[in-house]
Amino acid sequence: MKPTIEAFFDTVTQTISYVIFDEAGGYCAIIDPVLDYDPKASKTFTHIADKIIAFIQDHRLSVQWILETHAHADHLSSADYLRNQLGGKIGIGQNIPAVQKTFKKIFNFGDEFIPDGHHFDHLFADGESFQIGKITAKTIAVSGHTPADIAYQINDVIFVGDTLFMPDVGTARADFPGGDARHLFKSIQKILAFPPETRLFMCHDYPPTNRPTEWECTVAEQRAHNIHVHDGITEDEFVKMRNARDATLGMPNLLLPSIQTNIRSGKLPPVESNGVSYFKIPINLI
Ligand SMILES: [Fe+2]
């Protein structure tokens, strides 16, 4: 069965969230949903999540899955909010405890934060199959950007997460704690080994000034034109380029609040005795 895909673009973080479903009145999965966050006021909003909810209600869909490609460092996830509103199970890659352990240390979380992945409803193994209604989906482990990244393949479609960007933008960075440019190259090769007509859906777009925002391209287009990994570029060339480029990049604006939320599946930190939730901001550490 051919799935239907609806994209929701967040202009602030340049993230694309998706709803994929089998048929109106059937089942859907939500992929990488964004929670709006204003860092100046430290205030969350649900504008994008509520658009997703309205779309799902308009199409009379039941949410089976809320899928994260990884613990994002550039936006907060609305997975927990959406699960509370619509139901469904939150899934992420099975290596998420490695990311949780790394950031537990960085944020000096206490014993109450157990880095075993239990914050999520399901941890996907590499190559695991699952159903979204009548559609069969499969995971592809694509570590490199983080150790726990996974992509989701559904028929001739792959949601690539933070691996590839549009061909004129290149690839995701690999310098976050636990990231590895060599792993990223190998993971990208797994995606590029799919048939040339395979449709790839990006997690982000940072378009150059000469084109509008886009989020879909094919394996063939990536192999021919991706500025970082087109056919002919060797692993060593890629690693050298990626590491040199990453050394010039600043940290994402929302890194610290995003990670603290997203390794808890989109839940904000536990409220303190006054009923308020706080983010921790380490100084001179990252
Ligand atoms: Fe990311």
Side-chain angles (χ1 to χ4, degrees):
M1 170 169 245
K2 205 173 158 52
T4 304
I5 296 164
E6 182 75 13
F8 299 83
F9 181 65
D10 172 26
T11 53
V12 177
T13 66
Q14 297 175 281
T15 302
I16 303 107
S17 307
Y18 298 95
V19 172
I20 176 162
F21 61 100
D22 55 359
E23 57 193 343
Y27 290 91
C28 72
I30 304 167
I31 301 178
D32 289 333
V34 170
L35 182 70
D36 313 80
Y37 178 68
D38 170 8
K40 288 190 278 258
S42 190
K43 196 164 167 46
T44 61
F45 301 91
T46 56
H47 302 313
I48 295 169
D50 290 339
K51 270 189 211 162
I52 292 174
I53 291 173
F55 178 86
I56 285 171
Q57 288 173 342
D58 281 353
H59 291 76
R60 297 170 286 107
L61 301 171
S62 302
V63 178
Q64 209 164 359
W65 291 99
I66 302 168
L67 304 171
E68 299 283 7
T69 54
H70 61 294
H72 307 274
D74 64 290
H75 67 269
L76 281 65
S77 163
S78 58
D80 185 62
Y81 171 76
L82 288 167
R83 181 176 53 185
N84 289 337
Q85 298 293 314
L86 300 172
K89 289 199 284 188
I90 303 177
I92 199 165
Q94 68 175 4
N95 287 338
I96 192 67
V99 178
Q100 290 178 320
K101 277 181 198 132
T102 299
F103 283 100
K104 177 175 181 174
K105 234 184 241 169
I106 287 173
F107 289 113
N108 197 29
F109 290 152
D111 293 341
E112 76 287 351
F113 185 84
I114 301 166
D116 63 357
H118 76 275
H119 307 78
F120 299 85
D121 299 309
H122 188 78
L123 304 186
F124 285 108
D126 185 16
E128 186 173 337
S129 290
F130 60 102
Q131 291 300 124
I132 305 166
K134 295 174 181 164
I135 307 166
T136 303
K138 197 173 176 185
T139 60
I140 310 165
V142 288
S143 67
H145 174 64
T146 80
D149 281 55
I150 50 173
Y152 296 99
Q153 183 218 335
I154 296 144
N155 300 338
D156 68 333
V157 165
I158 303 176
F159 295 92
V160 300
D162 278 5
T163 52
L164 294 157
F165 294 141
M166 291 301 285
D168 56 358
V169 183
T171 56
R173 64 195 298 172
D175 61 334
F176 293 147
D180 187 308
R182 211 163 277 285
H183 291 177
L184 181 60
F185 184 84
K186 290 189 169 80
S187 295
I188 288 171
Q189 297 313 310
K190 288 191 199 175
I191 295 171
L192 296 182
F194 277 83
E197 64 279 10
T198 306
R199 296 187 292 152
L200 307 179
F201 286 81
M202 310 297 117
C203 184
H204 296 287
D205 189 34
Y206 310 104
T209 49
N210 62 355
R211 69 161 172 85
T213 304
E214 293 172 0
W215 45 76
E216 180 184 348
C217 64
T218 63
V219 162
E221 287 164 341
Q222 292 284 6
R223 290 183 58 171
H225 303 299
N226 187 292
I227 56 171
H228 296 164
V229 286
H230 61 73
D231 283 357
I233 290 187
T234 66
E235 181 175 321
D236 285 341
E237 284 168 340
F238 173 79
V239 169
K240 199 169 159 210
M241 176 286 303
R242 190 66 266 171
N243 289 339
R245 186 172 158 73
D246 287 347
T248 69
L249 300 176
M251 282 294 131
N253 290 339
L254 300 182
L255 172 80
L256 297 168
S258 295
I259 290 287
Q260 289 175 74
T261 306
N262 298 343
I263 60 174
R264 295 180 169 102
S265 75
K267 275 197 191 70
L268 296 170
V271 293
E272 300 195 3
S273 57
N274 59 354
V276 178
S277 177
Y278 293 82
F279 288 128
K280 293 182 86 170
I281 307 292
I283 299 166
N284 297 330
L285 184 64
I286 293 181

